[in-house]
Amino acid sequence: MYRCHLLHGSVNKSCNGMRTSACWIVPNHLSVSYFNLVKSLTSAFPNMYSISRFQHTTSAACCCSKTRSGEKYTDPFKLGWRDLKGLYEDIRKELLISTTELKEMSEYYFDGKGKAFRPIIVVLMARACNSHHDNSRDVQASQRSIALIAEMIHTASLVHDDVIDDARSRRGKHTVNKIWGEKKAVLAGDLILSAASIALARIGNTTVISILTQVIEDLVRGEFLQLGSKENENERFAHYLEKTFKKTASLIANSCKAVSVLGCPDPVVHEIAYQYGKNVGIAFQLIDDVLDFTSCSDQMGKPTSADLKLGLATGPVLFACQQFPEMNAMIMRRFSLPGDVDRARQYVLQSDGVQQTTYLAQRYCHEAVREISKLRPSPERDALIQLSEIVLTRDK
């Protein structure tokens, strides 16, 4: 059985056990290949563009330029930053470190040059849930703290990932491990995590603490999943989706849930917030995997084809493998032979792996919009809808 990391919707028995309602991404039986999965997705959403007619930006993304609440459209990032002024200064205050070198290492990525994608989602979700509950759109201090904690956990994971991957660049500059060495980089990541844990404990809500500590467990389990591989093609795709959820989407999903718990007592709202974050988070990573094949290094701020060089088979590779079965051997040896990376990249670009992965990301964003639309209209709810389109159309 595959584990489903979306919603537990009803099973459409006319589709060979495929969940085609709210839970439309993972088949119930290993006999259903991930190539046929996309066909099933297309039939599950008959009003969407088919793979053969795929376009990167299309109205099929279920997003619109006018907000559904009828208010004038505001850029989600501008709207979110109203509650995030001084974000990085406040994070640096949390890193109370006396040792000069350790302080410099820990603060290295908190330079204000990141997208702050996760904190933006968190404060927008906080306002949307608060508005839904009692028409009070103000962000509570504890909810804003969740935004800081989410960014700290994310950054700590980047520091540790760069050590594991032996990465040399991040966000257009040298990595912590390249400048200070691997051992010190690990300690810097640990210190950021400890500071985030202290900030989390200070909120004093045991439910929220439990929700966000799950993220740290998921990050570790996701990294272990990434270090492994599956021989069976169908297990391989499920393995990839589970890794994607744990390494990327869990933080967004659980941070959204945490602020909803702080702002609204309704468990239904908590689930809406969680599902929105989960679906947007998975879509975000799917597009990131696409950009590894379609963007240049200058745009990404890190070398492209990085995943192949690390021996990782992401969505575009797994879909391309259906058209070029000879890629299976390369996947199993993790692209370790001379020429494997270049050949695999060419196979992906000759296939429709990029298009199918992007189509899959659209389906996740469609589901995110469906979930968040259950909340009462507000500028922040509409900004979250708009944000799902930004996830699909970003180029870095």
Side-chain angles (χ1 to χ4, degrees):
M1 292 283 289
Y2 282 5
R3 291 182 181 178
C4 178
H5 290 299
L6 286 175
L7 303 173
H8 300 290
S10 60
V11 176
N12 183 338
K13 294 182 179 178
S14 65
C15 243
N16 296 322
M18 186 79 176
R19 294 184 185 269
T20 60
S21 179
C23 180
W24 36 260
I25 197 59
V26 184
N28 287 333
H29 303 290
L30 293 179
S31 59
V32 181
S33 74
Y34 54 76
F35 182 73
N36 291 331
L37 166 62
V38 173
K39 293 181 183 177
S40 299
L41 285 175
T42 307
S43 64
F45 295 95
N47 295 324
M48 299 301 184
Y49 284 96
S50 67
I51 291 295
S52 62
R53 297 172 58 203
F54 171 82
Q55 295 178 4
H56 183 63
T57 56
T58 173
S59 59
C62 295
C63 302
C64 50
S65 58
K66 289 186 179 180
T67 58
R68 298 186 179 190
S69 64
E71 296 192 28
K72 185 178 178 181
Y73 165 72
T74 303
D75 178 87
F77 288 89
K78 289 182 180 178
L79 191 61
W81 270 111
R82 293 186 310 177
D83 298 305
L84 294 175
K85 291 176 182 177
L87 169 71
Y88 294 106
E89 291 85 347
D90 290 343
I91 288 176
R92 287 193 287 270
K93 289 176 184 176
E94 296 289 345
L95 300 169
L96 298 175
I97 307 160
S98 57
T99 307
T100 303
E101 185 180 35
L102 189 53
K103 180 179 177 64
E104 187 178 357
M105 292 166 59
S106 302
E107 295 180 353
Y108 184 65
Y109 285 142
F110 298 115
D111 55 6
K113 295 180 181 179
K115 295 183 288 290
F117 179 73
R118 290 153 190 83
I120 291 288
I121 287 184
V122 169
V123 293
L124 289 176
M125 182 61 74
R127 280 182 174 265
C129 291
N130 294 352
S131 178
H132 177 84
H133 174 52
D134 60 7
N135 291 321
S136 173
R137 288 168 53 200
D138 293 339
V139 172
Q140 302 171 21
S142 58
Q143 289 175 317
R144 186 179 183 276
S145 293
I146 297 297
L148 271 69
I149 292 164
E151 186 70 356
M152 293 170 75
I153 293 174
H154 170 59
T155 303
S157 74
L158 296 183
V159 175
H160 285 157
D161 282 356
D162 286 344
V163 172
I164 293 170
D165 299 340
D166 193 28
R168 296 303 176 192
S169 63
R170 166 80 65 182
R171 295 176 179 172
K173 61 182 184 179
H174 294 317
T175 56
V176 173
N177 50 291
K178 182 176 181 182
I179 298 173
W180 286 281
E182 291 185 355
K183 293 179 180 179
K184 289 182 178 180
V186 169
L187 296 175
D190 289 346
L191 191 142
I192 297 170
L193 272 181
S194 69
S197 299
I198 292 170
L200 179 59
R202 201 161 54 237
I203 291 175
N205 185 303
T206 55
T207 301
V208 167
I209 292 171
S210 178
I211 290 169
L212 283 181
T213 50
Q214 179 64 47
V215 171
I216 299 174
E217 178 184 337
D218 284 344
L219 284 168
V220 174
R221 290 184 182 276
E223 194 62 49
F224 264 88
L225 285 170
Q226 184 163 289
L227 292 173
S229 60
K230 297 288 184 181
E231 289 189 30
N232 180 283
E233 292 181 19
N234 301 299
E235 288 183 351
R236 196 181 290 155
F237 201 86
H239 184 93
Y240 165 65
L241 289 175
E242 184 174 6
K243 181 269 296 182
T244 297
F245 168 75
K246 291 187 181 299
K247 284 201 66 177
T248 303
S250 175
L251 174 58
I252 301 174
N254 284 295
S255 298
C256 286
K257 183 177 181 178
V259 292
S260 75
V261 168
L262 290 169
C264 177
D266 188 353
V268 173
V269 174
H270 305 164
E271 185 65 10
I272 290 170
Y274 179 86
Q275 295 298 342
Y276 173 86
K278 178 192 288 187
N279 284 286
V280 164
I282 294 176
F284 185 93
Q285 186 58 52
L286 288 172
I287 295 299
D288 210 55
D289 294 342
V290 164
L291 292 174
D292 197 44
F293 288 94
T294 61
S295 285
C296 65
S297 298
D298 290 341
Q299 282 179 302
M300 291 293 286
K302 58 184 178 181
T304 51
S305 296
D307 292 328
L308 288 175
K309 293 170 185 174
L310 291 170
L312 304 179
T314 57
V317 173
L318 296 177
F319 281 120
C321 190
Q322 286 294 323
Q323 292 169 261
F324 298 99
E326 53 267 42
M327 293 181 71
N328 274 304
M330 287 190 280
I331 291 172
M332 288 312 301
R333 62 176 178 258
R334 298 179 74 89
F335 313 103
S336 58
L337 293 183
D340 275 359
V341 170
D342 290 336
R343 284 173 58 210
R345 180 178 175 82
Q346 287 305 312
Y347 281 136
V348 169
L349 296 179
Q350 290 169 27
S351 73
D352 59 2
V354 164
Q355 289 86 347
Q356 293 203 54
T357 305
T358 312
Y359 182 86
L360 200 54
Q362 284 186 321
R363 303 287 70 75
Y364 276 104
C365 282
H366 173 89
E367 188 64 20
V369 171
R370 194 182 73 85
E371 284 295 322
I372 201 64
S373 296
K374 296 174 183 177
L375 297 184
R376 291 176 184 170
S378 67
E380 289 76 21
R381 187 204 70 166
D382 295 335
L384 289 168
I385 292 172
Q386 197 69 32
L387 202 59
S388 67
E389 182 175 327
I390 292 172
V391 165
L392 289 175
T393 57
R394 67 191 180 96
D395 59 5
K396 62 180 180 178

